[in-house]
Amino acid sequence: MAEVDPAPRGTDGEPLLTVEDLRVHFHTDAGVVKAVDGVSFDIHPGETVALVGESGSGKSVTGMSLLGLLPKPAAQIPTGQILWRGTDLVPASEAQMRKIRGQEISMIFQDAMTSLNPVMTVGKQIVEMIRLHLDVTRRQARARAVEMLDAVGIPEARKRVEMYPHEFSGGMRQRAMIAMAIACDPQLIIADEPTTALDVTVQAQVLEVLADVQQRTGAAMILITHDLGVVAGVADRVMVMYAGRLVESAATDPVFYDARHPYTLGLMASLPRIDVDDVVIGSDVDLRSGRRLKPIEGQPPSLLHPPPGCSFHPRCDLADIGGACTEEVPALRRVAIGHTAACHFADDLEARAAAVGTADAIDLVHAAPVVEGPTA
């Protein structure tokens, strides 16, 4: 009898959101950009799933496609389904999506300054969103707006609610965006770099607010981020994207301690060690092991003209040049219970490193994990 992977944190095992073979293409004068290329995943009630990868890997496009926020007709979804509680959102009308946005699924955008209306007070924007979805009076909505601003750590919330976005600092604008996103207690929060403009203390406060909302409402969260420290501290599950595809997916600990894709290993190896006793500011050397921090060489591939085979092979120290890596696109396959990876050598990266025999390859598979999140 085949093993069945357990459902992540959910009361009945049924996902809130199911994405199946999602493809997002942008039609440009130069050709078709395949920004998302066959992505599939589930999101269950109450869990936090981190979507990580370099800029241009397709993380934000994936998040925006879930809410129908991509520009049309330039952006098209030629294939795939986005099933929200069983209903496909891909063919949904704009009127149908407006009922879902903010109330059932909300998004915290990365650039708060361009997401907030500069000619409306912050409070009025939150009140407008609350009254659009909830049957409350303007007075009740304003009280809720003050409550949300206070919850995300904005001082003097009753005064700030009457201020305009340009009167807020960058960090305060980001917190105002978070307040707006959680005001209607959505079932799914898509957080696109929600702490990017915040110092580490405020990061911890904001993440605690999001965790409190999840605990109180049972909401799920998709956390789009570059910060693996944040991922280690808050995520239940991690999905790694590269060149528009998912290349690895697992619970957080297996991704950090038993990564099965060279790109995931490269992300770990390019970060400073946090368990080194002696630190020299500005140094790029791990003083205890003598290991120099190892960046991922090269640049992400063009999504107009991706390389043949595995899209990561031009940057991969473990690649079989002239073999499977350059000729065949690896499928995202199960390598352990609840753990999938898209690498021809996912079953034994250490053996592949030994076969390659270079210092870079051997060092890559022994990259130290990063295991601490932000703390107040």
Side-chain angles (χ1 to χ4, degrees):
M1 181 176 178
E3 289 182 293
V4 177
D5 292 347
R9 290 172 59 183
T11 55
D12 56 6
E14 293 296 324
L16 276 174
L17 178 75
T18 298
V19 176
E20 295 182 353
D21 194 32
L22 178 66
R23 299 174 192 271
V24 179
H25 294 175
F26 288 90
H27 293 262
T28 71
D29 292 339
V32 178
V33 176
K34 297 179 180 178
V36 179
D37 193 16
V39 167
S40 299
F41 59 87
D42 291 335
I43 303 295
H44 289 77
E47 70 169 339
T48 298
V49 178
L51 192 57
V52 304
E54 293 169 289
S55 295
S57 61
K59 307 183 306 298
S60 293
V61 173
T62 299
M64 294 181 72
S65 67
L66 302 182
L67 281 173
L69 295 175
L70 298 175
K72 297 178 181 179
Q76 297 182 7
I77 300 179
T79 65
Q81 291 183 311
I82 302 171
L83 300 175
W84 173 247
R85 301 193 304 181
T87 300
D88 191 1
L89 300 184
V90 172
S93 67
E94 182 61 23
Q96 291 172 318
M97 292 305 301
R98 275 199 300 267
K99 293 179 180 179
I100 293 174
R101 295 181 195 134
Q103 182 174 17
E104 298 183 32
I105 307 175
S106 66
M107 188 163 187
I108 302 167
F109 296 96
Q110 182 173 357
D111 190 351
M113 189 60 189
T114 58
S115 300
L116 293 169
N117 190 328
V119 299
M120 293 175 63
T121 65
V122 171
K124 187 174 181 180
Q125 293 180 63
I126 300 175
V127 166
E128 184 180 72
M129 195 273 294
I130 293 172
R131 296 199 70 201
L132 179 65
H133 295 294
L134 303 179
D135 184 18
V136 296
T137 66
R138 183 171 297 277
R139 182 185 295 274
Q140 290 170 325
R142 186 183 183 282
R144 177 67 171 171
V146 172
E147 178 188 350
M148 291 297 97
L149 291 177
D150 184 64
V152 297
I154 293 182
E156 300 181 281
R158 291 187 181 277
K159 177 182 176 182
R160 303 281 186 182
V161 78
E162 301 297 341
M163 291 185 174
Y164 291 86
H166 73 270
E167 298 178 280
F168 279 37
S169 67
M172 288 172 62
R173 285 193 293 267
Q174 191 71 11
R175 282 179 278 173
M177 283 292 301
I178 294 170
M180 187 181 299
I182 66 178
C184 293
D185 291 339
Q187 295 167 283
L188 174 63
I189 301 168
I190 303 170
D192 189 358
E193 298 280 4
T195 61
T196 188
L198 309 179
D199 62 53
V200 68
T201 301
V202 180
Q203 272 190 27
Q205 294 171 353
V206 168
L207 292 171
E208 185 177 355
V209 168
L210 290 173
D212 288 344
V213 171
Q214 286 184 273
Q215 186 174 13
R216 178 165 51 85
T217 66
M221 181 165 66
I222 300 174
L223 178 63
I224 300 171
T225 183
H226 296 85
D227 191 336
L228 291 174
V230 170
V231 170
V234 304
D236 302 305
R237 190 155 52 95
V238 180
M239 300 187 298
V240 182
M241 285 194 76
Y242 186 79
R245 299 180 182 222
L246 285 181
V247 296
E248 186 159 10
S249 177
T252 302
D253 281 354
V255 168
F256 278 81
Y257 294 105
D258 189 26
R260 299 295 188 91
H261 196 283
Y263 178 60
T264 309
L265 289 173
L267 293 177
M268 305 296 178
S270 64
L271 293 174
R273 287 272 298 272
I274 63 168
D275 57 347
V276 177
D277 296 329
D278 300 314
V279 178
V280 176
I281 296 176
S283 172
D284 60 353
V285 177
D286 177 331
L287 297 180
R288 186 166 67 185
S289 67
R291 180 177 67 84
R292 186 171 292 273
L293 298 180
K294 186 182 185 307
I296 301 175
E297 301 293 343
Q299 298 294 326
S302 166
L303 298 182
L304 274 170
H305 306 290
C310 175
S311 58
F312 186 60
H313 86 258
R315 308 171 71 191
C316 182
D317 292 324
L318 306 182
D320 178 18
I321 304 300
C325 295
T326 55
E327 297 177 0
E328 182 182 348
V329 178
L332 186 66
R333 59 190 176 88
R334 173 173 159 168
V335 294
I337 295 176
H339 194 161
T340 58
C343 175
H344 295 298
F345 302 105
D347 291 323
D348 197 343
L349 293 179
E350 283 202 43
R352 178 59 192 167
V356 173
T358 67
D360 282 346
I362 293 170
D363 187 57
L364 180 67
V365 299
H366 293 98
V370 179
V371 297
E372 292 290 342
T375 56

